[in-house]
Structures are given as C-alpha cells and as structure tokens.
Amino acid sequence: MAERLDGRTVLVTGANGGLGEQFVRQALERGATKVYATARTPREWGDERIVGLPLDLTDPASVARAAEVATDVDLVVNNAAVAPADDVSVATGDEEVTRRIFETNYFGNLRVAKAFAPVLAANGGGGLINVLSLAAWLPLPTAYAASKAAMWSATNALRGELSAANTTVTGVIVGMVDTAMSARFDMPKVSAASVVDQAYDGLVQGAFEVLADDDSRDIKSRMSGTAEDLSAYLVAKLTAFYDNLAETSASSV
Ligand SMILES: NC(=O)c1ccc[n+]([C@@H]2O[C@H](COP(=O)([O-])OP(=O)(O)OC[C@H]3O[C@@H](n4cnc5c(N)ncnc54)[C@H](OP(=O)(O)O)[C@@H]3O)[C@@H](O)[C@H]2O)c1
C-alpha cells in the first residue's frame, strides 16, 4: 500500500508536466493538504489545493521569493532539469552549453535546497527529494550526465548536513522515463507515475536512494566490482543502446 503524505505541504519544481505533474497529483492522492506547483510559467490546475508559484531555478531572486512565500512547506521535490539535444560531447562540447546545463541541474537544484532548508527545519525537518538520473553513473558523453553526477554528490552531502535539522534527503535514480525530456529517444521507458510512486514511498520510509527502474538496480548492484569490469559492462550496454537508436531512426525515415 502507498505510504501516506497526510497533512503535508509539498513544493514541486518543474511541475507543469512529466514527473513534476505526477509529483503534484500523487502528493494529493496520498493525502497532502497543499501542493505548491512551481514553474517558470505556472499553469492553471483547477484545484484549490494546488497553488501555482513562479520559480525559475536559474534566477536566485525567484528562488528566494518562493521560499519567502511558501513558508509552510515540509516536503520539497527538486525535480526540474534540462537535457538539451545539442549536448553530445564532453571532449568537444561548447562550454556555454555545459554552463547552461549546470546552471539549472546543479546550481539551480542546489539553490532550491539551500533556500528551503531553513523552511523545512522550521517545520520540523521534513524531507527533500532530489530527482537525479542513472546518467550520473554511466560513461555518457554529456554535460547532463556530469551535472547529475555532481548533484548526486551534493545530495549525499546535503543528507549529512541537513540531518542535524531532522530533514531527510532522498535521491531518485532512474534511466529512461516516458516524458517530454526523453521524447527524442525511441526505446523502452518506464512511466513517470511508477517513478513518483516509488519516490514517495522511499521518502516516507527514509530511503537514502530510490532506484526506480531495472537498469538502475542492475547497475547499482555492479558498482562494487572493479572499474574495468563495470566500464566494460556499461560500454557494451551503451553500444547496444546506440545501435538500437540508430536502427530505430533509420527505419523511421
Ligand atoms: N525523462 C527521462 O528519461 C528522465 C530520466 C532520468 C531522470 N530524469 C529527471 O526527471 C526530472 C523531470 O524531468 P522530466 O522527465 O519530467 O522532463 P520534462 O517534462 O522536460 O520536465 C522538466 C521540467 O523542468 C522544468 N525546468 C527546466 N528549466 C527550468 C528552470 N530554469 N526553472 C524551473 N523549471 C525548469 C521544465 O519547465 P518548463 O516547462 O518551463 O520548460 C519542465 O517542467 C529531471 O530532473 C530529469 O533530469 C528524467
């Protein structure tokens, strides 16, 4: 049975669609009283329990303003991120593209965590969910993967630092999810609903990390091996992934 969020006040970043929308809807299904559905341009929800709030991760004033308004929050879901299609090489990639990705996926997510840590502490501790990615553990040639690895590290550090205020920190690791972000990849994906379901259960149970699909669980189980063995396994897996992508795009033209 799903863990409950009765009486809780939740804030979700990047709430307009994809995983963010699921975080909003499932919070209410689990008994949350109020959800701040934040976005650069908040949408209409037609539900008085959902409060639209402007929040742009890359704008420090906007994050600070949201933390001044949403002082009753006891669960923050750091969900928003970008994964631009022109991010294809770590060796030769444009530094500006890398900076733009880190500005959202690392500095922006960290900014939200820092702005809301005092709010969570004032409300008894509460919880923080950081939506990461299996990309953090894969040798992918993208700044996106590097930004998620950096945020994974920061998530682990935040867990230790925020524990003094009784705040739990849960990182969510998942591979391909069926949302707008992965629309350009034609391959098997898990549903956003299934990821959010596991994320909320994990948070309530105090899990440090939620591994939300088979690929994440498989790769986590291999991380105690040598770097050479893990690398050989991952390179073979990624080669199959790229071959499959090439075949799919060739057969669709
Ligand atoms: N889809 C996947 O395969 C996959 C896999 C692993 C992890 N994830 C992670 O899951 C999370 C949610 O992504 P998703 O799959 O649901 O993709 P999505 O539908 O593209 O959602 C990303 C959200 O982030 C928001 N966003 C981007 N930049 C922002 C900014 N500067 N300030 C505030 N909001 C901003 C977007 O808002 P706008 O509407 O304003 O653009 C959008 O609502 C991300 O952290 C992503 O890295 C996704």
Side-chain angles (χ1 to χ4, degrees), residues 19 40 55-57 79 81 132 144 148 174-175 177 179 181:
L19 285 158
R40 288 183 277 202
L55 193 160
D56 180 341
L57 266 61
N79 165 72
L132 306 168
Y144 173 81
K148 290 292 184 176
V174 64
V177 188
T179 69
M181 183 177 280

Side-chain angles (χ1 to χ4, degrees), residues 11 13 19 23 57 75-81 105-106 108-114 116 120 127-134 148 150-159 162 167-174 195 199 203 207-210:
L11 180 137
T13 65
L19 285 158
F23 274 113
L57 266 61
L75 170 52
V76 171
V77 183
N78 234 340
N79 165 72
N105 299 3
Y106 180 74
N109 276 269
L110 190 55
R111 185 174 289 134
V112 169
K114 289 164 77 172
F116 279 92
L120 293 172
L128 172 68
I129 293 177
N130 284 345
V131 181
L132 306 168
S133 170
L134 180 56
K148 290 292 184 176
M151 200 56 211
W152 177 57
S153 176
T155 298
N156 294 331
L158 284 167
R159 183 175 305 115
L162 301 189
T167 302
T168 61
V169 178
T170 301
V172 178
I173 299 281
V174 64
V195 176
L203 171 98
F208 286 11
E209 210 156 71
V210 169

Side-chain angles (χ1 to χ4, degrees), residues 68-83:
E68 279 164 20
V69 171
T71 53
D72 48 353
V73 165
D74 62 15
L75 170 52
V76 171
V77 183
N78 234 340
N79 165 72
V82 292

Side-chain angles (χ1 to χ4, degrees), residues 207-229:
F208 286 11
E209 210 156 71
V210 169
L211 306 173
D213 66 350
D214 287 344
D215 282 339
S216 301
R217 290 184 281 269
D218 172 43
I219 287 164
K220 177 78 177 191
S221 74
R222 295 170 187 276
M223 288 175 89
S224 61
T226 66
E228 289 79 3
D229 284 350

